[in-house]
Amino acid sequence: MGLERVLTSVSPTASSGRYTELSSLLELVKGILLDHVAEADASNAARQSGQRNGAISHSQAAALLPPEIVSQRLSLNLTDKPQGKDGLLELTDRILRLSINTWDHGFMHKLYSGTNPVGVISELILAILNTNSHVYTVSPALSVIEKQTGRALANMFGLRETYSGGITQPGGSASNFNSVLIARHQAMPFIKETGISGQQLVMFTSVDSHYSLEKAAQMSGIGSQGVCKIPTDAEGRMSVPALRRSILDASDQGKHPFYVNATAGTTVRGAYDPIDEIADVCQEFGLWLHVDGSLGGSAIFTRRQSWRLKGSERADSITINPHKMLSVPISCSFLLGRDLRQFRSSNSIDAGYLFHEDAPLAAATNDADDTYDLAEFTPQCGRKGDALKLALGWVYYGRIGYERYVDNAFDMAAYLAALIKNHPRMEIAAVPQSVQVCFYYMPSRMTDKHDMAAKHNTAITAYISEGLPSKGFMVDYAPGPVGKFLRVVTNGTTTKETLNSMVNEIDEIGQSFIK
Amino acid sequence: MGLERVLTSVSPTASSGRYTELSSLLELVKGILLDHVAEADASNAARQSGQRNGAISHSQAAALLPPEIVSQRLSLNLTDKPQGKDGLLELTDRILRLSINTWDHGFMHKLYSGTNPVGVISELILAILNTNSHVYTVSPALSVIEKQTGRALANMFGLRETYSGGITQPGGSASNFNSVLIARHQAMPFIKETGISGQQLVMFTSVDSHYSLEKAAQMSGIGSQGVCKIPTDAEGRMSVPALRRSILDASDQGKHPFYVNATAGTTVRGAYDPIDEIADVCQEFGLWLHVDGSLGGSAIFTRRQSWRLKGSERADSITINPHKMLSVPISCSFLLGRDLRQFRSSNSIDAGYLFHEDAPLAAATNDADDTYDLAEFTPQCGRKGDALKLALGWVYYGRIGYERYVDNAFDMAAYLAALIKNHPRMEIAAVPQSVQVCFYYMPSRMTDKHDMAAKHNTAITAYISEGLPSKGFMVDYAPGPVGKFLRVVTNGTTTKETLNSMVNEIDEIGQSFIK
């Protein structure tokens, strides 16, 4: 009978209780979960029609509550006794009330937003499968999907060699960390065995790059001293001449440069480092080129923006987080590579209880050059099949669906930047590079008293950020030239009306601070 | 209006399309997802009533297909054009057919099994929330739940100091790795800044411990040479006298012992190291005591088995993976600690764009000793709220639900061990320690030709493992004293009938090999 499903012989009533239990629990919680989405839809719709939405959504209000209050209202009760369906439903309801509604367009606080309907479905499928994508035998379909999706992504970036591909990692920090490990292993393969003993490895990354690069150095035993932070230009892009000089300096000091990270979409300003020029330098000195495209790598999906990633086809490894700009559910991060054999030699370890060279299927799944036992490419053992989430959205919405999504994020950032520029009381703080808009509200200009001005600006920025949730918006802030500024991150669902409304709210809150 | 939900004003039809889209997609896939569970239920029911189930379930058949065939049957099509609902439904159906059904009791292959209905619901809630538990502001409810659940777990293990608690990590390997980083930082805090320069740090773990410990040494720059593997006794438990001698030897050689891992539930045999005696040694030499309870830590939930973890109340850190013995969905792993301030000093890094000391809520969420910005305790930045999955099952089933589940796994392992002992053609290969039963089928006894015997035994073991999926079972194998042996892992849903049936199938396949 083989793979044929014989569902005709499966009677739910005849089977033991899990089908029934799951079915009834789904019915139980479906309503309040869907209401969570409906509420955001309604809030968005109201905003589209010009209504003030502060009053119609609880979405962001939880952001204003201190942990003691949240804890009290949640009243999580981890006891001996089962609390059953009632306990489950009531707790779920309280969790939803006390969480931020990321489906609301007003959520522009971090580099991610709510997911989409297919995202939810993909997590549901993964939960039903509850499979571990460490070895092929227990996850045939998910392993194949991860291989093919990783390969498709790598190809889009121009990594098209025989062993080019990619694997998922639990977040951008993990992807960046693995890239450092792989590059370290390429440079000094003996370290895996002997450890570091004062080799003074040096990696290069811009001052605006994500903190995970420095953490990777700390964790891998290279240390913060082994991270050379290269200055950026006025747009937040790494200075290539400075990079070149720093590499020469490090070599002169007897240190060992081995790794350069080019950021595609910096955390605060969204800047793209000049990857192609950086690739020239890496080629000249024989250094590993990593592209941290956690945020901005998704621009590869759009014909209008992919030029920003020019040069990534020369990278050795690339991080891309579809859970950011593509709204795939958290977490979905890929580390792509020109040659996955390098990933494997860095990460593989003998474990006869997990990897079987003597299994009858071994020849088909595993050889000296390639394997479907994907744990061999990563620092992890057990792994969730996160690749499915990108693949399923790709199938449903198509690449052009993702393209429209990314294009909208870029368009809306440009629209917002224009609004700010034309606003009498707002001031662009950094030339917009991609999907972030950074600005001050009535910044102090006391250039002779920089510290006082910075304090003032940070205070008003924090005040506005804190005032926005009760108006249905969430916006974060970040350190800037004169104190902290507001940073808005647009996404695939952002609309002009949302931005207009937000600018008005910011102005109102800002005015109340000044008075 | 505050936190009151105003659902009366929310009309699904009036809102924009996501509610409708999600609702209709849920209806679309619900049937085939529930059928996946129903099929396993039916397969289990048939086995209970004595029927041969090979014919009624496709559950495990995909394990026999090489990647080329799986790839061909999946026909994943990542193209420009959207494939919409039909594409989504058809692909989902193919994925389910080509995946292992872990809900089937016949799946006893790895240290996890299918999840339960509440597990599925908890993933659905996380998908709807799509929140990032890195900082409190964007995940108030999930941050509080993670804090409380981590604290409750730590307390169960006897870690009850002011700053005792726990945080989730993306898997047991990640938890173990973080423990090594934290211990390294306690021993030599300057390494974060300067890197390792030949300090010859040494960590101690048994030869039977998980490979993630050695990988942690490789990744952290300590190197495999810095891992001292302590022999185990006949039951697979670390030899404490040997540990003591090794520490003294390392010190004599001018090396720096800093970390001991005691495994609670080894990967192959399920052995529990004598934690209390190991704690004595750690105390004597001032070493960090980590307990890797990825598998066996869940015994803390049962009054009958928790004695195995005696001494863990003296640990500095403990790994527990509720996604193993408790069937919480993959992945759910906690790293617990006696003093989370140590976690924070090891992992925190200055990132003004993420952590705000000047936010109005900062005083309530974040002080010098404690914080609700949980990313500060971990190597990651973005984090999924995995703690919810344990908490929700705990609320629904109660601690006694988890207790029954773990007790059943232990009871069924004992039952299977007795079956094997009494079977004329099967032989226990390692005295059962917890939920794994390791055995040979008609092992060769040519003690004068050990290699030939080992080859023979590995061949018959692999043959049986490969023959089982078409009978509805999946069982893994592992290296043993004379070639590889079969290793069955029982779980909370395993029944006697399933084990009886499996033993019969193994005998039949084994006989066909001999003939």
Side-chain angles (χ1 to χ4, degrees):
Chain A
M1 201 162 290
L3 281 182
E4 292 308 311
R5 308 176 95 201
V6 202
L7 290 177
T8 45
S9 70
V10 175
S11 153
T13 47
S15 60
S16 63
R18 294 175 303 182
Y19 169 95
T20 315
E21 187 182 1
L22 177 55
S23 186
S24 95
L25 290 185
L26 266 177
E27 281 312 306
L28 188 73
V29 300
K30 204 179 72 176
I32 59 170
L33 294 185
L34 283 170
D35 281 351
H36 191 71
V37 180
E39 203 174 304
D41 277 354
S43 164
N44 295 335
R47 221 181 263 121
Q48 288 309 105
S49 63
Q51 286 179 247
R52 290 285 292 270
N53 88 309
I56 69 148
S57 171
H58 81 292
S59 306
Q60 321 300 5
L64 300 172
L65 300 173
E68 298 70 44
I69 301 294
V70 170
S71 168
Q72 192 188 315
R73 294 197 188 166
L74 268 178
S75 54
L76 176 66
N77 208 356
L78 301 174
T79 57
D80 275 9
K81 285 191 192 154
Q83 295 160 59
K85 285 187 181 179
D86 289 347
L88 179 71
L89 183 65
E90 285 162 19
L91 179 60
T92 303
D93 187 52
R94 293 194 298 265
I95 290 169
L96 292 169
R97 286 169 192 255
L98 292 163
S99 292
I100 307 303
N101 194 328
T102 54
W103 298 78
D104 191 302
H105 293 176
F107 183 78
M108 293 181 279
H109 192 270
K110 291 275 181 274
L111 308 183
Y112 68 96
S113 57
T115 184
N116 49 47
V118 173
V120 175
I121 299 297
S122 65
E123 285 286 11
L124 189 56
I125 295 171
L126 287 176
I128 289 281
L129 290 176
N130 200 44
T131 218
N132 190 326
S133 295
H134 51 1
V135 295
Y136 175 82
T137 323
V138 292
S139 65
L142 293 186
S143 299
V144 166
I145 287 171
E146 183 166 347
K147 279 280 231 193
Q148 293 187 356
T149 310
R151 173 92 188 164
L153 273 180
N155 286 350
M156 283 177 82
F157 280 96
L159 303 179
R160 300 167 178 275
E161 298 182 6
T162 309
Y163 297 105
S164 298
I167 40 93
T168 60
Q169 296 279 256
S173 290
S175 290
N176 289 340
F177 177 55
N178 197 11
S179 79
V180 170
L181 293 178
I182 296 164
R184 191 190 73 178
H185 185 68
Q186 285 302 114
M188 299 187 180
F190 55 86
I191 285 178
K192 230 172 124 171
E193 179 60 29
T194 64
I196 297 179
S197 44
Q199 280 85 5
Q200 296 195 283
L201 287 157
V202 188
M203 44 192 276
F204 302 82
T205 190
S206 93
V207 291
D208 284 2
S209 65
H210 189 258
Y211 75 70
S212 54
L213 277 303
E214 185 174 344
K215 271 187 100 153
Q218 293 176 345
M219 295 193 285
S220 61
I222 292 167
S224 291
Q225 281 181 5
V227 182
C228 186
K229 292 192 181 163
I230 310 298
T232 51
D233 64 16
E235 276 75 40
R237 297 172 302 202
M238 183 191 281
S239 157
V240 180
L243 168 66
R244 210 172 165 281
R245 273 196 307 278
S246 296
I247 294 170
L248 288 169
D249 285 353
S251 299
D252 286 351
Q253 292 163 26
K255 295 177 181 173
H256 291 85
F258 77 108
Y259 175 99
V260 178
N261 169 59
T263 305
T266 57
T267 310
V268 176
R269 292 198 262 178
Y272 284 73
D273 286 342
I275 304 172
D276 215 20
E277 296 170 44
I278 293 171
D280 289 340
V281 176
C282 288
Q283 196 172 324
E284 179 183 353
F285 295 101
L287 307 183
W288 185 277
L289 173 58
H290 176 67
V291 174
D292 177 10
S294 291
L295 171 63
S298 296
I300 204 72
F301 279 85
T302 147
R303 288 160 287 185
R304 272 169 49 204
Q305 305 295 345
S306 58
W307 59 270
R308 297 170 185 272
L309 292 154
K310 186 170 177 329
S312 60
E313 71 282 0
R314 300 167 67 188
D316 296 291
S317 56
I318 300 170
T319 295
I320 174 174
N321 289 5
H323 74 233
K324 290 197 164 76
M325 224 184 262
L326 301 182
S327 285
V328 170
I330 293 165
S331 125
C332 182
S333 173
F334 279 85
L335 181 64
L336 311 175
R338 164 177 308 288
D339 185 347
L340 290 194
R341 290 174 303 181
Q342 296 170 327
F343 286 35
R344 193 178 180 192
S345 63
S346 171
N347 282 292
S348 70
I349 193 166
D350 186 45
Y353 52 79
L354 186 61
F355 306 112
H356 299 303
E357 73 291 345
D358 38 40
L361 261 184
T365 56
N366 205 326
D367 67 31
D369 287 324
D370 200 9
T371 179
Y372 279 80
D373 292 340
L374 303 182
E376 291 213 19
F377 297 111
T378 82
Q380 301 114 266
C381 177
R383 308 172 62 248
K384 198 179 162 196
D386 289 327
L388 176 70
K389 300 188 282 190
L390 175 65
L392 222 57
W394 200 329
V395 164
Y396 185 79
Y397 298 112
R399 186 199 53 78
I400 57 164
Y402 284 141
E403 177 169 49
R404 274 193 218 111
Y405 207 80
V406 175
D407 280 346
N408 184 70
F410 276 84
D411 290 347
M412 288 302 106
Y415 176 81
L416 175 61
L419 280 186
I420 304 294
K421 273 178 203 155
N422 295 324
H423 198 285
R425 287 176 293 282
M426 300 183 193
E427 193 173 286
I428 289 284
V431 181
Q433 300 294 309
S434 53
V435 298
Q436 292 104 309
V437 182
C438 302
F439 58 101
Y440 286 111
Y441 186 82
M442 293 189 71
S444 169
R445 296 175 201 287
M446 300 177 289
T447 46
D448 54 331
K449 291 179 181 168
H450 182 88
D451 286 357
M452 272 185 64
K455 261 191 191 161
H456 169 87
N457 295 345
T458 294
I460 188 166
T461 294
Y463 181 83
I464 291 171
S465 176
E466 183 82 2
L468 280 170
S470 62
K471 312 290 184 185
F473 293 96
M474 279 190 75
V475 170
D476 204 4
Y477 51 102
V482 193
K484 294 194 172 183
F485 50 60
L486 291 162
R487 185 203 58 179
V488 172
V489 190
T490 54
N491 61 64
T493 65
T494 310
T495 68
K496 290 181 183 176
E497 291 75 9
T498 304
L499 296 173
N500 293 338
S501 164
M502 180 193 68
V503 166
N504 290 339
E505 298 290 2
I506 288 174
D507 196 22
E508 212 162 278
I509 300 167
Q511 287 299 307
S512 78
F513 181 88
I514 302 296
K515 274 168 198 165
Chain B
M1 200 161 292
L3 281 181
E4 291 308 309
R5 309 176 94 201
V6 202
L7 290 176
T8 45
S9 70
V10 175
S11 152
T13 47
S15 60
S16 63
R18 294 176 304 181
Y19 169 95
T20 315
E21 187 183 2
L22 178 54
S23 186
S24 95
L25 289 185
L26 266 176
E27 281 312 306
L28 188 72
V29 300
K30 203 178 73 175
I32 58 171
L33 294 184
L34 284 169
D35 280 351
H36 190 72
V37 180
E39 204 173 303
D41 277 354
S43 164
N44 295 335
R47 222 181 261 122
Q48 288 308 104
S49 63
Q51 284 178 249
R52 288 287 292 272
N53 88 308
I56 67 148
S57 171
H58 81 290
S59 307
Q60 322 299 6
L64 301 172
L65 300 174
E68 297 72 43
I69 301 294
V70 171
S71 169
Q72 192 188 314
R73 295 196 187 166
L74 269 177
S75 55
L76 176 66
N77 209 356
L78 301 175
T79 56
D80 276 9
K81 285 191 194 155
Q83 294 159 59
K85 284 187 182 179
D86 289 349
L88 179 71
L89 184 64
E90 286 161 19
L91 179 59
T92 303
D93 187 52
R94 294 194 298 266
I95 290 169
L96 291 169
R97 286 169 191 255
L98 293 163
S99 291
I100 307 304
N101 194 328
T102 54
W103 298 77
D104 191 303
H105 293 177
F107 183 78
M108 293 181 279
H109 192 270
K110 291 276 181 275
L111 307 183
Y112 68 98
S113 57
T115 184
N116 49 48
V118 174
V120 175
I121 299 298
S122 65
E123 285 285 12
L124 189 57
I125 295 170
L126 287 176
I128 289 281
L129 290 177
N130 201 46
T131 217
N132 190 327
S133 295
H134 50 3
V135 294
Y136 175 82
T137 322
V138 292
S139 64
L142 293 186
S143 300
V144 166
I145 288 171
E146 182 166 347
K147 278 281 230 194
Q148 294 187 356
T149 310
R151 173 91 188 165
L153 273 180
N155 286 352
M156 283 178 84
F157 279 96
L159 303 179
R160 299 165 179 276
E161 297 182 7
T162 309
Y163 297 105
S164 297
I167 40 90
T168 60
Q169 296 279 256
S173 290
S175 290
N176 288 340
F177 176 55
N178 197 11
S179 79
V180 169
L181 293 178
I182 296 163
R184 191 190 73 179
H185 185 69
Q186 285 301 115
M188 299 187 180
F190 55 86
I191 285 178
K192 229 172 124 171
E193 179 60 28
T194 64
I196 297 179
S197 44
Q199 281 85 3
Q200 294 195 286
L201 287 157
V202 188
M203 45 193 275
F204 302 82
T205 190
S206 92
V207 291
D208 284 1
S209 65
H210 190 258
Y211 75 70
S212 54
L213 277 304
E214 185 174 344
K215 272 187 100 153
Q218 294 176 345
M219 296 192 286
S220 61
I222 292 167
S224 291
Q225 280 182 4
V227 182
C228 186
K229 293 193 180 163
I230 309 299
T232 50
D233 63 17
E235 277 75 39
R237 298 172 300 202
M238 182 192 280
S239 158
V240 181
L243 168 67
R244 211 172 166 280
R245 274 195 308 277
S246 296
I247 294 170
L248 288 169
D249 285 353
S251 298
D252 285 350
Q253 293 162 28
K255 295 176 180 171
H256 291 86
F258 76 108
Y259 175 100
V260 179
N261 169 59
T263 305
T266 57
T267 311
V268 177
R269 292 198 261 178
Y272 284 74
D273 286 342
I275 303 172
D276 214 21
E277 296 170 45
I278 294 171
D280 289 339
V281 177
C282 288
Q283 197 173 324
E284 179 183 352
F285 295 101
L287 308 184
W288 185 276
L289 173 59
H290 176 66
V291 175
D292 177 11
S294 291
L295 171 63
S298 296
I300 205 73
F301 279 85
T302 147
R303 286 160 288 186
R304 272 168 51 201
Q305 305 295 345
S306 58
W307 59 270
R308 296 170 186 272
L309 292 153
K310 187 170 177 330
S312 60
E313 71 282 0
R314 300 167 67 188
D316 296 291
S317 56
I318 301 171
T319 295
I320 174 174
N321 289 5
H323 75 232
K324 291 197 163 74
M325 223 183 264
L326 302 181
S327 284
V328 170
I330 294 166
S331 121
C332 183
S333 174
F334 279 84
L335 181 65
L336 312 176
R338 163 177 310 288
D339 185 347
L340 290 195
R341 291 174 303 181
Q342 296 169 328
F343 287 35
R344 194 178 178 192
S345 63
S346 171
N347 282 294
S348 69
I349 193 166
D350 186 44
Y353 51 80
L354 186 61
F355 306 112
H356 299 302
E357 71 291 346
D358 37 39
L361 259 184
T365 56
N366 205 327
D367 67 31
D369 288 323
D370 200 9
T371 178
Y372 279 80
D373 292 340
L374 303 183
E376 290 213 19
F377 297 111
T378 82
Q380 300 113 265
C381 177
R383 308 171 63 248
K384 199 181 162 195
D386 289 327
L388 175 71
K389 301 188 281 189
L390 175 65
L392 221 58
W394 199 329
V395 164
Y396 186 79
Y397 298 112
R399 186 198 54 79
I400 58 165
Y402 284 141
E403 176 168 50
R404 274 193 217 112
Y405 207 80
V406 175
D407 280 347
N408 183 71
F410 276 84
D411 289 348
M412 288 302 106
Y415 176 81
L416 174 61
L419 281 186
I420 303 295
K421 273 179 201 154
N422 295 324
H423 198 285
R425 285 176 294 282
M426 300 184 192
E427 195 173 284
I428 289 285
V431 181
Q433 299 294 308
S434 53
V435 298
Q436 294 103 308
V437 181
C438 303
F439 58 101
Y440 286 112
Y441 186 82
M442 292 189 74
S444 169
R445 294 175 202 288
M446 299 177 289
T447 47
D448 53 331
K449 291 178 180 168
H450 181 87
D451 286 356
M452 271 184 64
K455 261 191 191 160
H456 169 85
N457 295 345
T458 294
I460 189 166
T461 294
Y463 181 83
I464 291 170
S465 175
E466 183 82 2
L468 281 170
S470 62
K471 311 291 184 185
F473 292 97
M474 280 190 74
V475 170
D476 204 3
Y477 52 102
V482 194
K484 294 194 172 182
F485 51 59
L486 291 162
R487 184 203 58 179
V488 173
V489 191
T490 54
N491 62 63
T493 66
T494 310
T495 68
K496 291 181 183 177
E497 290 76 9
T498 304
L499 296 173
N500 293 338
S501 164
M502 180 193 68
V503 166
N504 290 338
E505 298 289 2
I506 288 173
D507 195 22
E508 214 164 275
I509 300 166
Q511 287 298 306
S512 77
F513 181 87
I514 303 296
K515 272 167 197 165

PDB file of all heavy atoms in Angstrom, chain B residues 114-127:
ATOM      1  N   GLY B 114       6.015  12.683  19.144  1.00  0.00           N
ATOM      2  CA  GLY B 114       5.028  13.681  18.736  1.00  0.00           C
ATOM      3  C   GLY B 114       4.677  14.569  19.919  1.00  0.00           C
ATOM      4  O   GLY B 114       4.877  14.206  21.074  1.00  0.00           O
ATOM      5  N   THR B 115       4.144  15.734  19.622  1.00  0.00           N
ATOM      6  CA  THR B 115       3.699  16.592  20.716  1.00  0.00           C
ATOM      7  C   THR B 115       2.269  16.213  21.087  1.00  0.00           C
ATOM      8  O   THR B 115       1.760  15.174  20.658  1.00  0.00           O
ATOM      9  CB  THR B 115       3.829  18.081  20.337  1.00  0.00           C
ATOM     10  OG1 THR B 115       3.483  18.877  21.466  1.00  0.00           O
ATOM     11  CG2 THR B 115       2.953  18.456  19.147  1.00  0.00           C
ATOM     12  N   ASN B 116       1.620  17.026  21.871  1.00  0.00           N
ATOM     13  CA  ASN B 116       0.237  16.764  22.260  1.00  0.00           C
ATOM     14  C   ASN B 116      -0.643  17.934  21.800  1.00  0.00           C
ATOM     15  O   ASN B 116      -0.118  18.935  21.300  1.00  0.00           O
ATOM     16  CB  ASN B 116       0.159  16.568  23.781  1.00  0.00           C
ATOM     17  CG  ASN B 116       0.881  17.682  24.514  1.00  0.00           C
ATOM     18  OD1 ASN B 116       0.678  18.847  24.210  1.00  0.00           O
ATOM     19  ND2 ASN B 116       1.741  17.333  25.446  1.00  0.00           N
ATOM     20  N   PRO B 117      -1.960  17.806  21.926  1.00  0.00           N
ATOM     21  CA  PRO B 117      -2.840  18.880  21.416  1.00  0.00           C
ATOM     22  C   PRO B 117      -2.491  20.270  21.959  1.00  0.00           C
ATOM     23  O   PRO B 117      -2.489  21.244  21.203  1.00  0.00           O
ATOM     24  CB  PRO B 117      -4.224  18.418  21.854  1.00  0.00           C
ATOM     25  CG  PRO B 117      -4.130  16.915  21.789  1.00  0.00           C
ATOM     26  CD  PRO B 117      -2.755  16.603  22.307  1.00  0.00           C
ATOM     27  N   VAL B 118      -2.180  20.373  23.236  1.00  0.00           N
ATOM     28  CA  VAL B 118      -1.855  21.701  23.778  1.00  0.00           C
ATOM     29  C   VAL B 118      -0.559  22.224  23.170  1.00  0.00           C
ATOM     30  O   VAL B 118      -0.404  23.433  22.962  1.00  0.00           O
ATOM     31  CB  VAL B 118      -1.760  21.665  25.317  1.00  0.00           C
ATOM     32  CG1 VAL B 118      -1.277  23.002  25.857  1.00  0.00           C
ATOM     33  CG2 VAL B 118      -3.118  21.345  25.906  1.00  0.00           C
ATOM     34  N   GLY B 119       0.364  21.324  22.858  1.00  0.00           N
ATOM     35  CA  GLY B 119       1.600  21.740  22.194  1.00  0.00           C
ATOM     36  C   GLY B 119       1.299  22.442  20.874  1.00  0.00           C
ATOM     37  O   GLY B 119       1.858  23.504  20.564  1.00  0.00           O
ATOM     38  N   VAL B 120       0.397  21.866  20.098  1.00  0.00           N
ATOM     39  CA  VAL B 120       0.023  22.471  18.809  1.00  0.00           C
ATOM     40  C   VAL B 120      -0.591  23.855  19.036  1.00  0.00           C
ATOM     41  O   VAL B 120      -0.242  24.828  18.353  1.00  0.00           O
ATOM     42  CB  VAL B 120      -0.963  21.558  18.042  1.00  0.00           C
ATOM     43  CG1 VAL B 120      -1.440  22.233  16.768  1.00  0.00           C
ATOM     44  CG2 VAL B 120      -0.302  20.218  17.730  1.00  0.00           C
ATOM     45  N   ILE B 121      -1.496  23.932  20.008  1.00  0.00           N
ATOM     46  CA  ILE B 121      -2.154  25.210  20.296  1.00  0.00           C
ATOM     47  C   ILE B 121      -1.119  26.261  20.704  1.00  0.00           C
ATOM     48  O   ILE B 121      -1.199  27.434  20.303  1.00  0.00           O
ATOM     49  CB  ILE B 121      -3.202  25.030  21.420  1.00  0.00           C
ATOM     50  CG1 ILE B 121      -4.292  24.033  20.993  1.00  0.00           C
ATOM     51  CG2 ILE B 121      -3.810  26.376  21.816  1.00  0.00           C
ATOM     52  CD1 ILE B 121      -5.102  24.437  19.808  1.00  0.00           C
ATOM     53  N   SER B 122      -0.134  25.851  21.489  1.00  0.00           N
ATOM     54  CA  SER B 122       0.843  26.832  21.968  1.00  0.00           C
ATOM     55  C   SER B 122       1.673  27.395  20.812  1.00  0.00           C
ATOM     56  O   SER B 122       1.988  28.582  20.795  1.00  0.00           O
ATOM     57  CB  SER B 122       1.742  26.216  23.053  1.00  0.00           C
ATOM     58  OG  SER B 122       2.539  25.180  22.531  1.00  0.00           O
ATOM     59  N   GLU B 123       1.989  26.568  19.824  1.00  0.00           N
ATOM     60  CA  GLU B 123       2.708  27.078  18.661  1.00  0.00           C
ATOM     61  C   GLU B 123       1.827  28.035  17.855  1.00  0.00           C
ATOM     62  O   GLU B 123       2.302  29.011  17.278  1.00  0.00           O
ATOM     63  CB  GLU B 123       3.179  25.930  17.752  1.00  0.00           C
ATOM     64  CG  GLU B 123       4.374  25.151  18.302  1.00  0.00           C
ATOM     65  CD  GLU B 123       5.715  25.899  18.190  1.00  0.00           C
ATOM     66  OE1 GLU B 123       5.724  27.112  17.890  1.00  0.00           O
ATOM     67  OE2 GLU B 123       6.757  25.255  18.417  1.00  0.00           O
ATOM     68  N   LEU B 124       0.544  27.714  17.826  1.00  0.00           N
ATOM     69  CA  LEU B 124      -0.391  28.573  17.099  1.00  0.00           C
ATOM     70  C   LEU B 124      -0.475  29.952  17.759  1.00  0.00           C
ATOM     71  O   LEU B 124      -0.466  30.987  17.081  1.00  0.00           O
ATOM     72  CB  LEU B 124      -1.771  27.890  17.071  1.00  0.00           C
ATOM     73  CG  LEU B 124      -2.851  28.497  16.203  1.00  0.00           C
ATOM     74  CD1 LEU B 124      -2.423  28.610  14.756  1.00  0.00           C
ATOM     75  CD2 LEU B 124      -4.131  27.651  16.296  1.00  0.00           C
ATOM     76  N   ILE B 125      -0.503  29.971  19.069  1.00  0.00           N
ATOM     77  CA  ILE B 125      -0.551  31.251  19.794  1.00  0.00           C
ATOM     78  C   ILE B 125       0.726  32.054  19.530  1.00  0.00           C
ATOM     79  O   ILE B 125       0.680  33.256  19.256  1.00  0.00           O
ATOM     80  CB  ILE B 125      -0.730  31.014  21.313  1.00  0.00           C
ATOM     81  CG1 ILE B 125      -2.097  30.368  21.572  1.00  0.00           C
ATOM     82  CG2 ILE B 125      -0.598  32.320  22.092  1.00  0.00           C
ATOM     83  CD1 ILE B 125      -2.283  29.881  23.000  1.00  0.00           C
ATOM     84  N   LEU B 126       1.874  31.365  19.585  1.00  0.00           N
ATOM     85  CA  LEU B 126       3.136  32.080  19.322  1.00  0.00           C
ATOM     86  C   LEU B 126       3.158  32.647  17.903  1.00  0.00           C
ATOM     87  O   LEU B 126       3.683  33.740  17.671  1.00  0.00           O
ATOM     88  CB  LEU B 126       4.339  31.146  19.536  1.00  0.00           C
ATOM     89  CG  LEU B 126       4.670  30.816  21.000  1.00  0.00           C
ATOM     90  CD1 LEU B 126       5.811  29.801  21.070  1.00  0.00           C
ATOM     91  CD2 LEU B 126       5.039  32.078  21.778  1.00  0.00           C
ATOM     92  N   ALA B 127       2.593  31.903  16.965  1.00  0.00           N
ATOM     93  CA  ALA B 127       2.574  32.382  15.578  1.00  0.00           C
ATOM     94  C   ALA B 127       1.684  33.613  15.450  1.00  0.00           C
ATOM     95  O   ALA B 127       2.015  34.573  14.747  1.00  0.00           O
ATOM     96  CB  ALA B 127       2.094  31.275  14.644  1.00  0.00           C
TER      97      ALA B 127
END
